[in-house]
Amino acid sequence: MREALGAVRAEVGRAVVGQDAAVTGLVIALLCRGHVLLEGVPGVAKTLMVRSLSAALSLDTKRVQFTPDLMPGDVTGSLVYDARTAEFSFREGPVFTNLMLADEINRTPPKSQAALLEAMEERQVSVDGTPRPLPEPFVVVATQNPVEYEGTYPLPEAQLDRFLLKLTLPLPERHEEIEVLARHAAGFDPRHLDRAGVRAVAGKDVLDRARAEVARVQVAPEVLGYVVDLVRGTRQSPSLSLGVSPRGATALLATARAWAWLSGRGFVTPDDVKALAHPTLRHRVQLRAEAELEGVTAESVLDTVLASVPVPR
């Protein structure tokens, strides 16, 4: 199973250059049945990454461009009147898929953002009082632009907390950007992944068995205590008005177990927890206004907490 998911990451690398950490984060999210918030400037292959991952895993994927006029029914689906039968039938929305790409999620009003809350938490949508289960696996990968906030609606804390990971996509290094240009010069077309050689190397059965193996990864009581001490440390930080919730603690435990399994171990170490602390917790904390004015960031606060909490031996 581990080798198969390693092959998945290699297949995504055929289309995406220089975003190995983000690709690994998406694999961890699939193993943990969690959702991902991707943040990066336009043109760093956020959409291409999701499409490549779905192709490598043979998963169904749909993309929704979130705009100010998007309605909740455009995401979840709605009842449609059939004149031939004189009855209403349910027409599924794009949320009925395995990998849903919610592009620029912060450009739609809160009413439409909230349409995803039940889907993300309960793996179902309710239309006209009838709950309808979503396919398995189901993962929302939402994107947002970190530099252009005009006309956007910031995600509320309740929705941010439902994302397992927040992954930031940096601009590529010089040699990586040269590789991108070289691929395009050689005829690479991001609209045709099959021509780039991206093929299905795993499927839903591999994910199911891998998840079962991750669930058997052992966690010592000392490591559990370490996770709790980290999240409690954020609640006591003078720079934060909101620390990490208990859901954040369970998320950090889940991602650390998945990373330990991907690393070839059957137990979690404090280093596994440290490795996933930033992507799992950075979006679950809220800075005080005075701290922001002083240039404090969520990343620096997490660094301080990680440095101050004793590591179990």
Side-chain angles (χ1 to χ4, degrees):
M1 297 303 101
R2 195 176 293 109
E3 292 176 359
L5 291 180
V8 167
R9 288 187 282 177
E11 286 299 307
V12 176
R14 293 179 182 269
V16 180
V17 178
Q19 300 292 358
D20 295 341
V23 174
T24 300
L26 288 174
V27 171
I28 288 174
L30 283 167
L31 289 174
C32 298
R33 293 182 172 87
H35 310 289
V36 179
L37 184 62
L38 288 180
E39 188 172 272
V41 298
V44 290
K46 297 187 292 292
T47 302
L48 180 60
M49 186 185 305
V50 175
R51 291 177 53 235
S52 302
L53 181 66
S54 65
L57 280 167
S58 191
L59 298 176
D60 182 42
T61 183
K62 292 177 182 174
R63 173 182 175 179
V64 180
Q65 188 68 43
F66 278 67
T67 56
D69 60 346
L70 189 77
M71 298 299 291
D74 296 331
V75 178
T76 61
S78 56
L79 294 176
V80 179
Y81 181 73
D82 189 341
R84 292 172 300 177
T85 62
E87 294 179 349
F88 284 93
S89 60
F90 179 67
R91 180 177 295 171
E92 293 183 350
V95 75
F96 286 86
T97 187
N98 299 128
L99 275 177
M100 177 184 170
L101 178 60
D103 208 7
E104 295 193 284
I105 190 173
N106 57 338
R107 292 206 172 275
T108 198
K111 181 178 181 180
S112 298
Q113 291 177 4
L116 281 176
L117 286 175
E118 181 185 12
M120 294 170 68
E121 190 67 20
E122 308 295 336
R123 264 57 178 188
Q124 66 177 28
V125 295
S126 296
V127 178
D128 196 33
T130 302
R132 293 175 169 85
L134 296 174
E136 179 62 34
F138 171 71
V139 171
V140 173
V141 181
T143 71
Q144 62 181 17
N145 186 340
V147 296
E148 187 181 2
Y149 289 111
E150 185 176 353
T152 62
Y153 303 85
L155 295 177
E157 296 301 328
Q159 187 157 9
L160 283 173
D161 204 38
R162 282 170 169 79
F163 285 100
L164 179 75
L165 297 169
K166 179 182 178 182
L167 305 175
T168 56
L169 276 67
L171 289 168
E173 300 289 341
R174 182 176 184 274
H175 69 278
E176 294 169 341
E177 203 158 1
I178 290 175
E179 174 65 20
V180 171
L181 294 184
R183 291 188 182 188
H184 280 265
F188 171 72
D189 187 348
R191 291 180 292 272
H192 300 285
L193 293 178
D194 53 341
R195 298 179 189 173
V198 178
R199 56 191 177 86
V201 293
K204 297 178 184 179
D205 58 329
V206 171
L207 269 181
D208 290 339
R209 285 182 284 168
R211 286 170 171 175
E213 291 189 9
V214 171
R216 291 194 289 269
V217 172
Q218 299 298 309
V219 188
E222 293 80 7
V223 175
L224 292 177
Y226 182 57
V227 172
V228 170
D229 290 341
L230 285 177
V231 299
R232 291 178 68 86
T234 65
R235 300 170 197 163
Q236 298 165 3
S237 172
S239 299
L240 298 179
S241 60
L242 178 68
V244 178
S245 69
R247 182 189 282 135
T250 61
L252 182 54
L253 175 62
T255 55
R257 291 177 85 180
W259 177 242
W261 180 80
L262 284 172
S263 301
R265 282 179 279 99
F267 56 92
V268 177
T269 68
D271 285 340
D272 297 325
V273 176
K274 287 183 177 181
L276 273 299
H278 280 273
T280 308
L281 304 181
R282 58 166 60 113
H283 57 293
R284 303 176 192 271
V285 299
Q286 185 173 320
L287 292 168
R288 295 186 185 276
E290 55 269 27
E292 286 190 86
L293 291 174
E294 294 172 0
V296 177
T297 64
E299 305 289 339
S300 63
V301 172
L302 290 175
D303 284 335
T304 301
V305 172
L306 286 167
S308 61
V309 175
V311 179
R313 301 296 178 187

